[in-house]
Structure formats: C-alpha cells, structure tokens
Amino acid sequence: FLPAAKDPELVEHLRIIRTIQEELNRKGATLTISSAPRLGAAEDVQILADRLSRLVADYVTHPYRKGIGAAQIPAIVLAQATTANARGQHDEALKLLSSIDATALDLHSLLSFYEIRSRAYYATRQWDLAISDYSAILNSTTKSQDREYLYRYHVLRGNAYYSSPTGREAAAAADFTKALTFCEDFAAYANRAGARLLLSKWEQALADANRAIGLEPMAPEAYRNRAQVYHCQGDFDRAIADLDRALDLPAQTVFRRGIRAELYVLRAR
C-alpha cells in the first residue's frame, strides 16, 4: 500500500473534508449571530454536518489508513469537533479539541481550531474563554483582508462581552462599532443598541435600533431593543406597540416569553 499521506485519493478526500468543515464553521458562526436566519438555515447546517460525518467515517476506515488512528490527524479531529458543534454536542467538541497539540498546527489549522473552540465556549456560556479565542482569531493575519469574516468575529466577540456578567457593555459596543466598519448589517446595529441601552445612552441606542429595523424589518430583537429604549424614556405607548410588533414576528419560544413578560409589566403601569 502507498503511505496514506501520499495517496492521491486520500489527499483529495482530506481536501474535501477541510473545505466542508470550513463551510460548516462559517454557517454555524453566521447562524449564531443572526437574529433572523434565513428559512432553512439550521437545516442546511445539519445536512452539511451529516455529510461531513460520513466523509470522516469513510476516510478513517479507508484500507490505506489501517492501523492509523483518527486522533493522529488534526484535520480529522477538527472535522469531528465541527460536526459535534453543529449537532449541539459542544462538550464533546471541547473534549475532541483537547486531544490536539495546538502549538504543532499550521496557521490555517490553528485558525480553524480557534473558530471551532470559540463556538463551543460561546454555546456553553464560557464567555472569558470565548473572548480569548475570538481575540486570537481577530489578531491573526490569515484572514486580515476578509471583511465579512472580520465583521462576523467582531460581532461574536461583542456578543460575548455583552453576555459576560462582569459589565463589559463598553467593550461590546466598541466591537459592534468595529464590525460596522466592515459590513453594515442589522445584527451589529441591533446588538449595539442593546449595549448602549445598558450604558444609558438612550438617543444613540434609539438611533441604532431604528437603523437595525430599517435594514431588517422582520427582526424581532430590534423592536424589543427599541421598546426597551422607549420604556427607559417613559414612552410606554410606543414601547408596548414595539413589543406587540415583536410578538407578531417569528421568534423562539423563550424570546416570546420574555416579550410577554415585558408587556405584562408595561400594561400594568
């Protein structure tokens, strides 16, 4: 048998695995920051995850790879961890990644490592660890010219700062502002509105919420953010109207419960 690393069939197989893994990472990150994902986006991620899982299984059972464990090939472990993330098995993803010696990875693989691990940390609410990995991603020169990529990871780091219990709203707002220099997207405006609200910057928060609604009028989070600004300003009628509008739009059950609770408080005044 030819050595596995030099067999043309396996080389091409591994290239396809890496390509799909990168696409799955991109789709997963985009889904994480999008408050109004396109119809079928989550299903697309699962279909891609299933395909990647089958390709990995075919690769590790190939006759040329007899006796060589999957753990000896970082690209395969990265693909397995990516699949675990896509399936919501974030602890399993972290366990797989812990078997990799990150110091031995090339720059491209190291960036993938941070992308996958940061998503797992984010999903398990380990904010400081997620922020550390996002910073490593943003400090890398590998994709320093990719504006969409930089936008995505500044928003994700901003979200982690915003979600952190240690009061990092200013850092969150700064990341959302930086993200908007790469791409004018409603998610960054909506999230910055939330951060500025916590910083008591009412007018700036209102302007951001209005801009987010202008860019994506079907995003319930933007209406909720604007309702919260109106509430803080004492404009309860407008706050109720925006919450009613948010409730009319498609959203997750937990989000809808939050809106109903806020409506109850406002209508009881």
CSV table of all heavy atoms in Angstrom, one decimal, residues 132-186:
chain,number,residue,atom,x,y,z
A,132,SER,N,-11.3,35.1,24.6
A,132,SER,CA,-9.9,34.9,24.4
A,132,SER,C,-9.6,34.3,23.0
A,132,SER,O,-8.7,34.7,22.3
A,132,SER,CB,-9.3,34.0,25.5
A,132,SER,OG,-7.9,33.7,25.2
A,133,ASP,N,-10.5,33.3,22.6
A,133,ASP,CA,-10.3,32.7,21.3
A,133,ASP,C,-10.7,33.6,20.2
A,133,ASP,O,-10.1,33.7,19.2
A,133,ASP,CB,-11.2,31.4,21.2
A,133,ASP,CG,-10.4,30.2,21.8
A,133,ASP,OD1,-9.3,30.4,22.3
A,133,ASP,OD2,-11.0,29.1,21.9
A,134,TYR,N,-11.8,34.4,20.4
A,134,TYR,CA,-12.1,35.4,19.4
A,134,TYR,C,-11.0,36.4,19.2
A,134,TYR,O,-10.7,36.9,18.1
A,134,TYR,CB,-13.4,36.2,19.8
A,134,TYR,CG,-14.7,35.3,19.8
A,134,TYR,CD1,-15.7,35.5,20.7
A,134,TYR,CD2,-14.9,34.4,18.8
A,134,TYR,CE1,-16.8,34.7,20.7
A,134,TYR,CE2,-16.0,33.6,18.7
A,134,TYR,CZ,-17.0,33.8,19.7
A,134,TYR,OH,-18.1,33.0,19.7
A,135,SER,N,-10.4,36.8,20.3
A,135,SER,CA,-9.2,37.8,20.1
A,135,SER,C,-8.1,37.1,19.4
A,135,SER,O,-7.5,37.8,18.5
A,135,SER,CB,-8.8,38.2,21.5
A,135,SER,OG,-9.8,38.9,22.2
A,136,ALA,N,-7.8,35.9,19.6
A,136,ALA,CA,-6.8,35.2,18.8
A,136,ALA,C,-7.1,35.1,17.3
A,136,ALA,O,-6.3,35.3,16.5
A,136,ALA,CB,-6.6,33.7,19.4
A,137,ILE,N,-8.4,34.9,17.0
A,137,ILE,CA,-8.9,34.9,15.7
A,137,ILE,C,-8.7,36.3,15.0
A,137,ILE,O,-8.2,36.4,13.9
A,137,ILE,CB,-10.4,34.5,15.6
A,137,ILE,CG1,-10.5,33.0,16.0
A,137,ILE,CG2,-11.0,34.8,14.2
A,137,ILE,CD1,-11.9,32.6,16.2
A,138,LEU,N,-9.1,37.3,15.7
A,138,LEU,CA,-9.0,38.7,15.2
A,138,LEU,C,-7.6,39.2,15.1
A,138,LEU,O,-7.3,40.1,14.3
A,138,LEU,CB,-9.9,39.6,16.0
A,138,LEU,CG,-11.4,39.4,15.9
A,138,LEU,CD1,-12.2,40.1,17.0
A,138,LEU,CD2,-11.9,39.8,14.5
A,139,ASN,N,-6.7,38.7,15.9
A,139,ASN,CA,-5.3,39.1,15.9
A,139,ASN,C,-4.5,38.3,14.8
A,139,ASN,O,-3.4,38.7,14.5
A,139,ASN,CB,-4.7,38.9,17.2
A,139,ASN,CG,-5.2,39.8,18.3
A,139,ASN,OD1,-5.6,40.9,17.9
A,139,ASN,ND2,-5.1,39.5,19.5
A,140,SER,N,-5.1,37.3,14.2
A,140,SER,CA,-4.5,36.5,13.2
A,140,SER,C,-4.4,37.3,11.9
A,140,SER,O,-5.3,38.1,11.6
A,140,SER,CB,-5.2,35.2,12.9
A,140,SER,OG,-4.7,34.5,11.8
A,141,THR,N,-3.4,37.1,11.1
A,141,THR,CA,-3.2,37.8,9.8
A,141,THR,C,-3.7,37.0,8.7
A,141,THR,O,-3.8,37.4,7.5
A,141,THR,CB,-1.8,38.2,9.6
A,141,THR,OG1,-1.0,36.9,9.6
A,141,THR,CG2,-1.2,39.1,10.6
A,142,THR,N,-4.2,35.7,9.0
A,142,THR,CA,-4.6,34.8,7.9
A,142,THR,C,-5.7,35.3,7.1
A,142,THR,O,-5.8,35.1,5.9
A,142,THR,CB,-5.0,33.4,8.6
A,142,THR,OG1,-3.9,33.0,9.3
A,142,THR,CG2,-5.2,32.4,7.5
A,143,LYS,N,-6.7,36.0,7.8
A,143,LYS,CA,-7.9,36.5,7.0
A,143,LYS,C,-8.1,38.0,7.3
A,143,LYS,O,-9.2,38.5,7.4
A,143,LYS,CB,-9.1,35.7,7.4
A,143,LYS,CG,-9.1,34.2,7.0
A,143,LYS,CD,-10.5,33.6,7.1
A,143,LYS,CE,-10.4,32.2,6.6
A,143,LYS,NZ,-11.8,31.5,6.5
A,144,SER,N,-7.0,38.7,7.4
A,144,SER,CA,-7.0,40.1,7.7
A,144,SER,C,-7.6,40.9,6.6
A,144,SER,O,-8.0,42.1,6.8
A,144,SER,CB,-5.6,40.6,8.0
A,144,SER,OG,-4.7,40.4,6.8
A,145,GLN,N,-7.8,40.4,5.4
A,145,GLN,CA,-8.4,41.1,4.3
A,145,GLN,C,-9.9,40.7,4.0
A,145,GLN,O,-10.5,41.2,3.1
A,145,GLN,CB,-7.6,40.9,3.0
A,145,GLN,CG,-6.2,41.4,3.1
A,145,GLN,CD,-6.0,42.8,3.6
A,145,GLN,OE1,-6.7,43.7,3.0
A,145,GLN,NE2,-5.2,43.1,4.6
A,146,ASP,N,-10.4,39.7,4.8
A,146,ASP,CA,-11.7,39.2,4.6
A,146,ASP,C,-12.7,40.0,5.5
A,146,ASP,O,-12.9,39.7,6.7
A,146,ASP,CB,-11.7,37.7,5.0
A,146,ASP,CG,-13.1,37.0,4.6
A,146,ASP,OD1,-14.1,37.7,4.5
A,146,ASP,OD2,-13.1,35.8,4.4
A,147,ARG,N,-13.4,41.0,4.9
A,147,ARG,CA,-14.2,41.9,5.6
A,147,ARG,C,-15.4,41.2,6.3
A,147,ARG,O,-15.8,41.5,7.4
A,147,ARG,CB,-14.7,43.0,4.7
A,147,ARG,CG,-13.5,43.9,4.2
A,147,ARG,CD,-14.0,44.9,3.2
A,147,ARG,NE,-14.8,45.9,3.9
A,147,ARG,CZ,-14.3,47.0,4.5
A,147,ARG,NH1,-13.0,47.2,4.6
A,147,ARG,NH2,-15.1,47.9,5.1
A,148,GLU,N,-16.0,40.3,5.5
A,148,GLU,CA,-17.2,39.5,6.1
A,148,GLU,C,-16.7,38.7,7.3
A,148,GLU,O,-17.4,38.6,8.3
A,148,GLU,CB,-17.8,38.6,5.0
A,148,GLU,CG,-19.0,37.8,5.5
A,148,GLU,CD,-19.5,36.8,4.5
A,148,GLU,OE1,-19.1,36.8,3.4
A,148,GLU,OE2,-20.3,35.9,4.9
A,149,TYR,N,-15.6,38.1,7.2
A,149,TYR,CA,-15.0,37.3,8.3
A,149,TYR,C,-14.8,38.2,9.5
A,149,TYR,O,-15.1,37.8,10.7
A,149,TYR,CB,-13.7,36.6,7.8
A,149,TYR,CG,-13.1,35.7,8.8
A,149,TYR,CD1,-13.5,34.3,8.9
A,149,TYR,CD2,-12.1,36.1,9.7
A,149,TYR,CE1,-12.9,33.4,9.7
A,149,TYR,CE2,-11.6,35.2,10.6
A,149,TYR,CZ,-12.0,33.9,10.6
A,149,TYR,OH,-11.4,33.0,11.5
A,150,LEU,N,-14.1,39.3,9.3
A,150,LEU,CA,-13.8,40.2,10.4
A,150,LEU,C,-15.1,40.8,11.1
A,150,LEU,O,-15.2,40.9,12.3
A,150,LEU,CB,-12.9,41.4,9.9
A,150,LEU,CG,-11.5,40.9,9.5
A,150,LEU,CD1,-10.8,42.1,8.8
A,150,LEU,CD2,-10.7,40.4,10.7
A,151,TYR,N,-16.1,41.1,10.2
A,151,TYR,CA,-17.4,41.5,10.7
A,151,TYR,C,-17.9,40.5,11.7
A,151,TYR,O,-18.4,40.8,12.8
A,151,TYR,CB,-18.3,41.8,9.6
A,151,TYR,CG,-19.8,41.9,10.1
A,151,TYR,CD1,-20.3,43.0,10.6
A,151,TYR,CD2,-20.6,40.7,10.0
A,151,TYR,CE1,-21.6,43.1,11.0
A,151,TYR,CE2,-21.9,40.8,10.5
A,151,TYR,CZ,-22.4,42.0,11.0
A,151,TYR,OH,-23.7,42.0,11.4
A,152,ARG,N,-18.0,39.2,11.2
A,152,ARG,CA,-18.6,38.1,11.9
A,152,ARG,C,-18.0,37.9,13.3
A,152,ARG,O,-18.7,37.8,14.3
A,152,ARG,CB,-18.5,36.8,11.1
A,152,ARG,CG,-19.3,35.7,11.7
A,152,ARG,CD,-19.5,34.6,10.6
A,152,ARG,NE,-18.3,34.1,10.0
A,152,ARG,CZ,-17.9,34.2,8.7
A,152,ARG,NH1,-18.7,34.9,7.9
A,152,ARG,NH2,-16.8,33.7,8.2
A,153,TYR,N,-16.6,38.0,13.4
A,153,TYR,CA,-16.0,37.7,14.6
A,153,TYR,C,-15.9,38.9,15.6
A,153,TYR,O,-15.9,38.7,16.8
A,153,TYR,CB,-14.6,37.0,14.4
A,153,TYR,CG,-14.8,35.6,14.1
A,153,TYR,CD1,-14.8,35.1,12.8
A,153,TYR,CD2,-15.0,34.7,15.1
A,153,TYR,CE1,-15.1,33.8,12.5
A,153,TYR,CE2,-15.3,33.3,14.9
A,153,TYR,CZ,-15.3,32.9,13.6
A,153,TYR,OH,-15.6,31.5,13.3
A,154,HIS,N,-16.0,40.1,15.1
A,154,HIS,CA,-16.2,41.2,16.0
A,154,HIS,C,-17.6,41.2,16.6
A,154,HIS,O,-17.7,41.5,17.8
A,154,HIS,CB,-16.0,42.5,15.2
A,154,HIS,CG,-14.5,43.0,15.2
A,154,HIS,ND1,-13.8,43.4,16.3
A,154,HIS,CD2,-13.6,43.1,14.1
A,154,HIS,CE1,-12.6,43.7,16.0
A,154,HIS,NE2,-12.5,43.5,14.7
A,155,VAL,N,-18.6,40.8,15.8
A,155,VAL,CA,-19.9,40.7,16.4
A,155,VAL,C,-20.0,39.6,17.4
A,155,VAL,O,-20.5,39.8,18.5
A,155,VAL,CB,-21.0,40.5,15.3
A,155,VAL,CG1,-22.3,40.1,15.9
A,155,VAL,CG2,-21.1,41.7,14.4
A,156,LEU,N,-19.4,38.5,17.1
A,156,LEU,CA,-19.4,37.4,18.1
A,156,LEU,C,-18.6,37.7,19.4
A,156,LEU,O,-19.1,37.4,20.5
A,156,LEU,CB,-18.7,36.1,17.5
A,156,LEU,CG,-19.6,35.4,16.5
A,156,LEU,CD1,-18.8,34.4,15.7
A,156,LEU,CD2,-20.8,34.7,17.2
A,157,ARG,N,-17.5,38.4,19.3
A,157,ARG,CA,-16.8,38.8,20.5
A,157,ARG,C,-17.6,39.9,21.2
A,157,ARG,O,-17.7,39.9,22.5
A,157,ARG,CB,-15.4,39.4,20.2
A,157,ARG,CG,-14.6,39.6,21.4
A,157,ARG,CD,-13.1,39.9,21.1
A,157,ARG,NE,-13.0,41.3,20.5
A,157,ARG,CZ,-11.8,41.8,20.2
A,157,ARG,NH1,-10.7,41.2,20.4
A,157,ARG,NH2,-11.8,43.0,19.6
A,158,GLY,N,-18.2,40.8,20.5
A,158,GLY,CA,-19.1,41.8,21.1
A,158,GLY,C,-20.2,41.1,21.9
A,158,GLY,O,-20.6,41.5,23.0
A,159,ASN,N,-20.8,40.1,21.3
A,159,ASN,CA,-21.9,39.3,22.0
A,159,ASN,C,-21.4,38.7,23.3
A,159,ASN,O,-22.1,38.7,24.3
A,159,ASN,CB,-22.5,38.3,21.0
A,159,ASN,CG,-23.3,38.8,19.9
A,159,ASN,OD1,-23.6,40.0,19.9
A,159,ASN,ND2,-23.6,38.0,19.0
A,160,ALA,N,-20.2,38.2,23.2
A,160,ALA,CA,-19.6,37.5,24.4
A,160,ALA,C,-19.4,38.6,25.5
A,160,ALA,O,-19.6,38.3,26.7
A,160,ALA,CB,-18.3,36.8,24.0
A,161,TYR,N,-18.8,39.7,25.1
A,161,TYR,CA,-18.6,40.8,26.1
A,161,TYR,C,-20.0,41.2,26.7
A,161,TYR,O,-20.1,41.4,27.9
A,161,TYR,CB,-18.0,42.0,25.4
A,161,TYR,CG,-16.5,42.0,25.3
A,161,TYR,CD1,-15.9,42.3,24.0
A,161,TYR,CD2,-15.7,41.7,26.4
A,161,TYR,CE1,-14.5,42.2,23.9
A,161,TYR,CE2,-14.3,41.7,26.2
A,161,TYR,CZ,-13.7,42.0,25.0
A,161,TYR,OH,-12.4,42.0,24.9
A,162,TYR,N,-21.0,41.4,25.8
A,162,TYR,CA,-22.3,41.8,26.3
A,162,TYR,C,-22.9,40.8,27.2
A,162,TYR,O,-23.6,41.1,28.2
A,162,TYR,CB,-23.2,42.0,25.0
A,162,TYR,CG,-24.6,42.4,25.3
A,162,TYR,CD1,-24.9,43.8,25.5
A,162,TYR,CD2,-25.7,41.5,25.5
A,162,TYR,CE1,-26.2,44.2,25.8
A,162,TYR,CE2,-26.9,41.9,25.8
A,162,TYR,CZ,-27.2,43.3,25.9
A,162,TYR,OH,-28.5,43.7,26.2
A,163,SER,N,-22.7,39.5,26.9
A,163,SER,CA,-23.3,38.4,27.8
A,163,SER,C,-22.5,38.2,29.1
A,163,SER,O,-23.1,37.6,30.0
A,163,SER,CB,-23.3,37.1,27.0
A,163,SER,OG,-24.1,37.3,25.8
A,164,SER,N,-21.3,38.7,29.1
A,164,SER,CA,-20.4,38.4,30.3
A,164,SER,C,-21.1,39.1,31.5
A,164,SER,O,-21.6,40.2,31.4
A,164,SER,CB,-19.0,39.0,30.1
A,164,SER,OG,-18.3,39.0,31.2
A,165,PRO,N,-21.0,38.5,32.7
A,165,PRO,CA,-21.7,39.0,33.9
A,165,PRO,C,-20.8,40.1,34.5
A,165,PRO,O,-21.2,40.7,35.6
A,165,PRO,CB,-21.8,37.8,34.8
A,165,PRO,CG,-20.7,36.9,34.4
A,165,PRO,CD,-20.5,37.1,32.9
A,166,THR,N,-19.7,40.4,33.9
A,166,THR,CA,-18.7,41.4,34.6
A,166,THR,C,-18.9,42.8,34.1
A,166,THR,O,-18.0,43.6,34.3
A,166,THR,CB,-17.3,40.9,34.4
A,166,THR,OG1,-17.0,40.7,33.0
A,166,THR,CG2,-17.1,39.6,35.2
A,167,GLY,N,-20.0,43.1,33.4
A,167,GLY,CA,-20.2,44.5,33.0
A,167,GLY,C,-19.2,45.0,31.9
A,167,GLY,O,-18.5,46.0,32.2
A,168,ARG,N,-19.3,44.4,30.7
A,168,ARG,CA,-18.4,44.8,29.6
A,168,ARG,C,-19.1,45.4,28.5
A,168,ARG,O,-18.8,45.2,27.3
A,168,ARG,CB,-17.6,43.6,29.2
A,168,ARG,CG,-16.7,43.0,30.3
A,168,ARG,CD,-15.9,41.9,29.7
A,168,ARG,NE,-15.2,41.1,30.7
A,168,ARG,CZ,-14.4,40.1,30.5
A,168,ARG,NH1,-14.2,39.7,29.3
A,168,ARG,NH2,-13.8,39.5,31.5
A,169,GLU,N,-20.2,46.2,28.8
A,169,GLU,CA,-21.0,46.8,27.7
A,169,GLU,C,-20.2,47.7,26.8
A,169,GLU,O,-20.5,47.8,25.6
A,169,GLU,CB,-22.2,47.5,28.3
A,169,GLU,CG,-23.2,46.6,29.1
A,169,GLU,CD,-22.8,46.4,30.5
A,169,GLU,OE1,-21.8,47.0,31.0
A,169,GLU,OE2,-23.4,45.6,31.2
A,170,ALA,N,-19.3,48.5,27.4
A,170,ALA,CA,-18.5,49.4,26.6
A,170,ALA,C,-17.6,48.6,25.6
A,170,ALA,O,-17.5,49.0,24.4
A,170,ALA,CB,-17.6,50.3,27.5
A,171,ALA,N,-17.0,47.5,26.0
A,171,ALA,CA,-16.2,46.7,25.1
A,171,ALA,C,-17.1,46.1,24.0
A,171,ALA,O,-16.7,46.0,22.9
A,171,ALA,CB,-15.5,45.6,25.9
A,172,ALA,N,-18.3,45.7,24.4
A,172,ALA,CA,-19.2,45.1,23.4
A,172,ALA,C,-19.6,46.2,22.4
A,172,ALA,O,-19.5,45.9,21.2
A,172,ALA,CB,-20.5,44.6,24.2
A,173,ALA,N,-19.9,47.4,22.8
A,173,ALA,CA,-20.3,48.4,21.9
A,173,ALA,C,-19.2,48.7,21.0
A,173,ALA,O,-19.4,49.0,19.8
A,173,ALA,CB,-20.7,49.7,22.7
A,174,ALA,N,-17.9,48.7,21.5
A,174,ALA,CA,-16.7,49.0,20.7
A,174,ALA,C,-16.6,47.9,19.6
A,174,ALA,O,-16.2,48.2,18.4
A,174,ALA,CB,-15.5,49.1,21.5
A,175,ASP,N,-16.8,46.7,19.9
A,175,ASP,CA,-16.7,45.6,18.9
A,175,ASP,C,-17.8,45.7,17.9
A,175,ASP,O,-17.5,45.5,16.7
A,175,ASP,CB,-16.8,44.2,19.6
A,175,ASP,CG,-15.4,43.6,19.7
A,175,ASP,OD1,-14.5,43.8,18.9
A,175,ASP,OD2,-15.2,42.7,20.6
A,176,PHE,N,-19.0,46.1,18.3
A,176,PHE,CA,-20.1,46.2,17.3
A,176,PHE,C,-19.8,47.4,16.4
A,176,PHE,O,-20.1,47.4,15.2
A,176,PHE,CB,-21.4,46.4,18.0
A,176,PHE,CG,-21.8,45.3,18.8
A,176,PHE,CD1,-22.4,45.5,20.1
A,176,PHE,CD2,-21.6,44.0,18.4
A,176,PHE,CE1,-22.8,44.4,20.9
A,176,PHE,CE2,-22.0,42.9,19.2
A,176,PHE,CZ,-22.6,43.1,20.5
A,177,THR,N,-19.2,48.5,16.9
A,177,THR,CA,-18.8,49.6,16.1
A,177,THR,C,-17.7,49.2,15.1
A,177,THR,O,-17.8,49.6,13.9
A,177,THR,CB,-18.3,50.8,17.0
A,177,THR,OG1,-19.4,51.2,17.9
A,177,THR,CG2,-17.9,52.0,16.2
A,178,LYS,N,-16.8,48.5,15.5
A,178,LYS,CA,-15.7,48.0,14.7
A,178,LYS,C,-16.3,47.1,13.6
A,178,LYS,O,-15.9,47.2,12.4
A,178,LYS,CB,-14.7,47.2,15.4
A,178,LYS,CG,-13.5,46.8,14.6
A,178,LYS,CD,-12.6,48.0,14.1
A,178,LYS,CE,-11.4,47.5,13.4
A,178,LYS,NZ,-10.6,48.7,12.9
A,179,ALA,N,-17.2,46.2,13.9
A,179,ALA,CA,-17.9,45.3,13.0
A,179,ALA,C,-18.5,46.1,11.8
A,179,ALA,O,-18.5,45.7,10.7
A,179,ALA,CB,-18.9,44.4,13.7
A,180,LEU,N,-19.1,47.2,12.2
A,180,LEU,CA,-19.9,48.1,11.2
A,180,LEU,C,-18.9,48.8,10.2
A,180,LEU,O,-19.4,49.2,9.2
A,180,LEU,CB,-20.7,49.1,11.9
A,180,LEU,CG,-22.0,48.5,12.6
A,180,LEU,CD1,-22.6,49.5,13.6
A,180,LEU,CD2,-23.0,48.0,11.6
A,181,THR,N,-17.6,48.8,10.5
A,181,THR,CA,-16.7,49.4,9.6
A,181,THR,C,-16.4,48.4,8.4
A,181,THR,O,-15.9,48.7,7.4
A,181,THR,CB,-15.4,49.7,10.2
A,181,THR,OG1,-14.7,48.6,10.7
A,181,THR,CG2,-15.6,50.7,11.4
A,182,PHE,N,-16.8,47.1,8.7
A,182,PHE,CA,-16.5,46.0,7.7
A,182,PHE,C,-17.8,45.7,6.9
A,182,PHE,O,-17.8,45.3,5.7
A,182,PHE,CB,-16.0,44.8,8.3
A,182,PHE,CG,-14.7,45.0,9.0
A,182,PHE,CD1,-14.5,44.9,10.4
A,182,PHE,CD2,-13.5,45.2,8.3
A,182,PHE,CE1,-13.3,45.1,11.0
A,182,PHE,CE2,-12.3,45.4,8.9
A,182,PHE,CZ,-12.2,45.3,10.3
A,183,CYS,N,-19.0,45.8,7.6
A,183,CYS,CA,-20.2,45.5,6.9
A,183,CYS,C,-21.4,46.1,7.7
A,183,CYS,O,-21.4,46.1,8.9
A,183,CYS,CB,-20.4,44.0,7.0
A,183,CYS,SG,-22.0,43.4,6.3
A,184,GLU,N,-22.2,46.8,7.0
A,184,GLU,CA,-23.4,47.5,7.6
A,184,GLU,C,-24.5,46.5,7.6
A,184,GLU,O,-25.3,46.3,6.7
A,184,GLU,CB,-23.8,48.7,6.8
A,184,GLU,CG,-24.8,49.6,7.6
A,184,GLU,CD,-25.1,50.9,6.9
A,184,GLU,OE1,-25.1,50.9,5.6
A,184,GLU,OE2,-25.4,51.9,7.6
A,185,ASP,N,-24.6,45.8,8.8
A,185,ASP,CA,-25.6,44.8,8.9
A,185,ASP,C,-26.5,45.0,10.1
A,185,ASP,O,-26.0,45.6,11.1
A,185,ASP,CB,-24.9,43.4,9.0
A,185,ASP,CG,-25.9,42.2,9.1
A,185,ASP,OD1,-26.4,41.9,8.1
A,185,ASP,OD2,-26.1,41.7,10.2
A,186,PHE,N,-27.7,44.6,10.1
A,186,PHE,CA,-28.7,44.9,11.2
A,186,PHE,C,-28.3,44.3,12.5
A,186,PHE,O,-28.5,44.9,13.5
A,186,PHE,CB,-30.1,44.4,10.8
A,186,PHE,CG,-30.3,42.9,11.1
A,186,PHE,CD1,-30.9,42.6,12.3
A,186,PHE,CD2,-30.0,41.9,10.2
A,186,PHE,CE1,-31.2,41.3,12.6
A,186,PHE,CE2,-30.2,40.6,10.5
A,186,PHE,CZ,-30.8,40.3,11.7
